[in-house]
Amino acid sequence: MMFVVYLLVGTVIGLLFPPFLSLIMEIPEENRRILSIASVLAGWLLGVINFVIFYVFIKYCTLHFRNVFHEVRAGNFSARSRLNSRDAIGQLAIDINETIDHLEKTKIEILQDDLTGLPNRQFLQQFFMENKEVMKTEKAAFMFFDLNKFKQINDLYGHQFGDQVLISVGNRVKKGLPYAKLIRLSGDEFMLVVPSLTAIDAMEAAKQLHKQFKEPFLIGDAAVSIDSSIGISIYPDNGVELTELVKKSDHAMYEAKKNPLQSYCFYHQLTASTTSSERTDEPTNKIGSTINTLRR
């Protein structure tokens, strides 16, 4: 379409050039026809040249902006347009960069817990979708844990004090297990994702997580001792969907709570225990034997 427009413009210029030239100088009658044809051909050539320049320029700008948008869609919010000019294209580049700045700030707000600054449930969903193929090969542990008797802490010291407890727990666990991804789900519930592991790695990570609660947490002038119960599901052994993994690790955590000591529980141990009790016709009320107890 634009090519036709440039040809039409070139034709008009070619047709108008001989009359304009005749106003400046005298043109012999026998040369006017040749001049008109040459002017139209020159106008067409000028139109083609202008179209090629316009096409290359627009193609370059379009490809540049598409690459920027592709990076942003891939999650790279550091991508920016490098075009720097004072024309309309330069202004468009400025607008795009400002929009990406806004999206980057919005993404941080959406994927970050307001209180603790930790990644939140939305981040967990995105992280799982982006890494599930790699984790399926290397396996990953999803460790669901909460703070035992946290409600009593809130009731005794107040919600602001309880908020500081959550912040301190997040900071300590994140520092103690830097190779894992810590997410605050809601309230006093957290999820620790440990990628690239074996069964031994998962058990060792659970022990390390438990050790983070051995020392009291200093909140202001108060030293608060906090217990935690941990439930663990393994991806993809215990499920291939995030909701399934969260549900099973949550179930394992509540089984771990039944033990009076600090403990962790693997979901696959619960299913193994159920199968064993069904075979021997023994009561299924032996879940305590499936819990790995970590003593102080």
Side-chain angles (χ1 to χ4, degrees), residues 154-173:
N154 266 337
D155 294 341
L156 182 61
Y157 296 101
H159 289 282
Q160 289 186 348
F161 187 92
D163 289 345
Q164 292 304 312
V165 169
L166 295 174
I167 294 172
S168 297
V169 168
N171 290 337
R172 183 182 292 183
V173 172

Side-chain angles (χ1 to χ4, degrees), residues 111-161:
L111 301 180
Q112 181 175 289
D113 177 58
D114 293 335
L115 176 64
T116 62
L118 295 172
N120 59 17
R121 187 182 292 268
Q122 285 75 21
F123 173 89
L124 176 61
Q125 294 172 348
Q126 178 175 305
F127 177 82
F128 181 78
M129 292 301 297
E130 292 175 352
N131 297 277
K132 62 180 182 180
E133 292 303 322
V134 175
M135 292 191 298
K136 183 179 291 186
T137 302
E138 300 179 350
K139 293 193 176 184
F142 286 75
M143 301 187 176
F144 196 121
F145 69 96
D146 68 359
L147 310 182
N148 297 331
K149 299 182 180 179
F150 180 71
K151 184 178 183 302
Q152 287 88 325
I153 294 176
N154 266 337
D155 294 341
L156 182 61
Y157 296 101
H159 289 282
Q160 289 186 348
F161 187 92

Side-chain angles (χ1 to χ4, degrees), residues 43-102:
W44 286 352
L45 179 61
L46 181 63
V48 171
I49 293 174
N50 285 334
F51 171 78
V52 171
I53 294 174
F54 171 80
Y55 177 81
V56 172
F57 175 71
I58 294 299
K59 189 74 173 179
Y60 169 77
C61 293
T62 302
L63 181 62
H64 172 72
F65 289 133
R66 287 188 65 182
N67 288 337
V68 173
F69 292 143
H70 176 75
E71 290 292 322
V72 172
R73 284 195 299 269
N76 179 18
F77 284 84
S78 64
R80 295 293 186 274
S81 173
R82 302 182 305 276
L83 297 181
N84 185 15
S85 61
R86 297 183 179 181
D87 55 12
I89 297 297
Q91 185 58 52
L92 177 60
I94 293 174
D95 292 342
I96 289 175
N97 289 341
E98 290 178 350
T99 301
I100 296 174
D101 289 338
H102 177 73

